[in-house]
Amino acid sequence: MRSALLNLRSCASEPSAQPSRRSGSLTLAAMSLGYAVVQLDITIVNTALASISASLGGGVSELQWVVSAYTIAFAAFILTAGALGDRIGAKRVFMAGFAIFTLASLACAAAPNAACLIAARCVQGFAAAILVPNSLALLNHAYADEKARGRAVGVWAAGASVALTAGPFVGGGLIALVGWRAIFLVNLPIGLIGLWLTFRYADETTQHRQHEIDLPGQLAAIAALGSLAGALIGGGALGFDNAFVIAGFVSAAVIGLLFVWREARASQPMLPLSLFRHRMFAVTALVGLLVNVAYYGLIFVLSLYFQEVNGFSPFATGLAFVPMLGAVLPVNLLAPRVAERIGAPATIAAGATLSAAGCLALLGIASGTSYLAMCLQLVVISCGLGLLVPPLTSTLLGSVEKPRSGIAAGVLNATRQTGSVLGVALFGSLVAGRGAFIAGAHASLMISAAVLLGAAAAIWLAARSTS
């Protein structure tokens, strides 16, 4: 793998010497830490949901906002963050994001009530939006060769897999020993190490000052996504026939249409609709959305299932997630080689189908179902995710020219995080009704299987039509 970690600077704004292998490796390590800390705060927070509820009060809807505030800000700002990296340089923007994320984590740990925690989670999500696309832009800048880039993305994704796996276990242990606030303090040393590695070893990307920031489009994206998430979460608490819930859906639709109208006419749009004329780009973005609806929606439901239905402690819940999330790492590392052998679209379709099969096999769960009876199905779901993410990411990045790599990475991650918002909001609403948790969990699994099979069909048909 070391031979692949050559930091090629063909896209740099000024010519310079080729960096050492060590420098390239540590640059990749810094980018991996940036993505890892973003993923860590998904699983580690899910493990703490019951403890946060007991400490700060609130029911399922408040817990949905603790999770969704992060992902809404992540999804809404990620496109602007990618464009900002293209404009002034991905390295300096990435470092700013790491610093903000670290400070916001400290604010989460000190939150005196649920409202303050939700607000701090919004800031965390904003910083996460900065980190992810710019880490990918720096990798795309460093690895010009498609095969080397695919393997580097595999390592980048593997770092996030380690965080996903360690998050529940570490979080459960910290909650048992110290309390839920400690889960946010873990981010402080990671942030400091990532900032130093980036400053010391990463090379700046080409600056494109002509790329402007689309403020009206940014505001419309926040309003549309926030309205949609609010309507879905409110539907679980108030009923989907409630006037305010209906108004939320209508507002989301109207603002969403205005967003598209704005982006079609803006000279420097936040979301260049022209990117979607490339069939593979459009389909990979869609697959990213559908996969996250299923995966992260189910993680939210399973966290509540383990703790509130089966009575697991936070530490036991963390242990329960370890096999599921731990399966992602080795498959992430294997995925680029599978894609080289059978092609990226076939690998993505196989991963989505595998995850769908795991969801269907889990439909027998009920109150009191033993963990051993569901462990294999959970591992299968995660193996499918691990198989599809690296080729999905590399395929989308390879479908656009390098100067647009930041915005392309932003589109993929915006659609994925939008899927996370929708999954948590929808599935949380399905299980929020009194006495309806198991029925809601079954409905969530059926919906997940359907969207995953839809994702597999979409990528397979797109590959056939372009071959």
Side-chain angles (χ1 to χ4, degrees):
M1 179 60 73
R2 287 176 61 85
S3 64
L5 300 178
L6 298 175
N7 190 356
L8 303 178
R9 303 187 61 185
S10 59
C11 295
S13 54
E14 297 179 4
S16 60
Q18 189 180 63
S20 67
R21 290 184 178 182
R22 178 172 178 268
S23 177
S25 299
L26 292 173
T27 297
L28 178 57
M31 300 307 102
S32 297
L33 282 176
Y35 189 29
V37 78
V38 169
Q39 295 296 90
L40 178 67
D41 266 54
I42 296 173
T43 56
I44 206 169
V45 168
N46 275 284
T47 305
L49 290 175
S51 299
I52 291 172
S53 179
S55 174
L56 302 182
V60 173
S61 61
E62 286 78 14
L63 296 178
Q64 285 174 280
W65 278 115
V66 169
V67 176
S68 294
Y70 180 86
T71 45
I72 288 171
F74 194 164
F77 285 104
I78 200 167
L79 292 172
T80 295
L84 185 63
D86 287 341
R87 177 177 170 83
I88 66 175
K91 177 179 177 178
R92 57 173 54 91
V93 176
F94 178 85
M95 290 186 66
F98 233 147
I100 295 169
F101 194 98
T102 304
L103 292 174
S105 298
L106 186 60
C108 287
N113 53 52
C116 290
L117 177 59
I118 291 168
R121 288 282 287 166
C122 280
V123 179
Q124 267 194 321
F126 167 71
I130 294 174
L131 286 173
V132 175
N134 287 289
S135 68
L136 279 171
L138 287 168
L139 286 183
N140 202 41
H141 172 74
Y143 298 96
D145 177 70
E146 182 177 358
K147 182 180 291 187
R149 182 177 64 240
R151 294 186 177 184
V153 168
V155 173
W156 173 83
S161 300
V162 171
L164 280 168
T165 304
F169 178 77
V170 172
L174 287 172
I175 294 166
L177 294 173
V178 182
W180 65 265
R181 297 178 188 276
I183 66 173
F184 296 107
L185 298 177
V186 173
N187 298 332
L188 303 186
I190 298 174
L192 293 175
I193 294 169
L195 280 168
W196 183 81
L197 287 174
T198 305
F199 175 77
R200 178 68 178 83
Y201 295 105
D203 293 320
E204 187 59 277
T205 59
T206 305
Q207 299 179 22
H208 299 276
R209 294 286 180 176
Q210 70 275 18
H211 292 175
E212 299 176 0
I213 303 302
D214 178 19
L215 183 58
Q218 176 65 83
L219 295 175
I222 297 169
L225 189 54
S227 296
L228 181 57
L232 287 169
I233 292 172
L238 304 173
F240 286 96
D241 57 349
N242 181 274
F244 290 104
V245 173
I246 294 171
F249 283 120
V250 172
S251 297
V254 171
I255 298 171
L257 290 173
L258 289 174
F259 172 76
V260 174
W261 179 84
R262 159 70 190 180
E263 298 308 283
R265 288 159 178 77
S267 59
Q268 293 281 337
M270 181 179 104
L271 175 60
L273 299 181
S274 60
L275 290 175
F276 290 92
R277 294 173 188 162
H278 191 292
R279 184 186 298 271
M280 195 54 69
F281 179 92
V283 172
T284 50
L286 173 63
V287 169
L289 183 145
L290 295 176
V291 166
N292 272 37
V293 166
Y295 194 75
Y296 288 101
L298 287 178
I299 285 180
F300 180 83
V301 170
L302 289 168
S303 297
L304 294 178
Y305 172 79
F306 287 139
Q307 295 179 75
E308 297 191 359
V309 177
N310 281 5
F312 284 20
S313 68
F315 185 67
T317 300
L319 289 176
F321 276 115
V322 168
M324 176 185 182
L325 300 175
V328 177
L329 173 59
V331 183
N332 271 160
L333 297 174
L334 179 65
R337 288 173 172 78
V338 175
E340 290 168 16
R341 181 175 295 272
I342 68 172
T347 306
I348 296 166
T353 303
L354 188 63
S355 290
C359 292
L360 293 175
L362 202 57
L363 282 172
I365 64 167
S367 179
T369 297
S370 71
Y371 177 70
L372 291 178
M374 50 191 301
C375 183
L376 178 60
Q377 297 93 311
L378 297 177
V379 170
V380 168
I381 292 171
S382 285
C383 284
L385 178 79
L387 186 62
L388 69 86
V389 168
L392 182 77
T393 305
S394 187
T395 298
L396 183 137
L397 287 176
S399 69
V400 299
E401 63 274 17
K402 281 188 176 294
R404 307 301 287 169
S405 61
I407 193 65
V411 171
L412 175 60
N413 286 281
T415 55
R416 291 192 65 191
Q417 294 310 312
T418 298
S420 299
V421 171
L422 297 178
V424 171
L426 176 59
F427 294 178
S429 296
L430 291 174
V431 302
R434 184 180 297 274
F437 193 100
I438 297 302
H442 289 165
S444 300
L445 288 165
M446 289 294 295
I447 293 170
S448 296
V451 299
L452 287 165
L453 291 174
I459 195 73
W460 182 260
L461 292 174
R464 291 191 64 183
S465 64
T466 56
S467 59

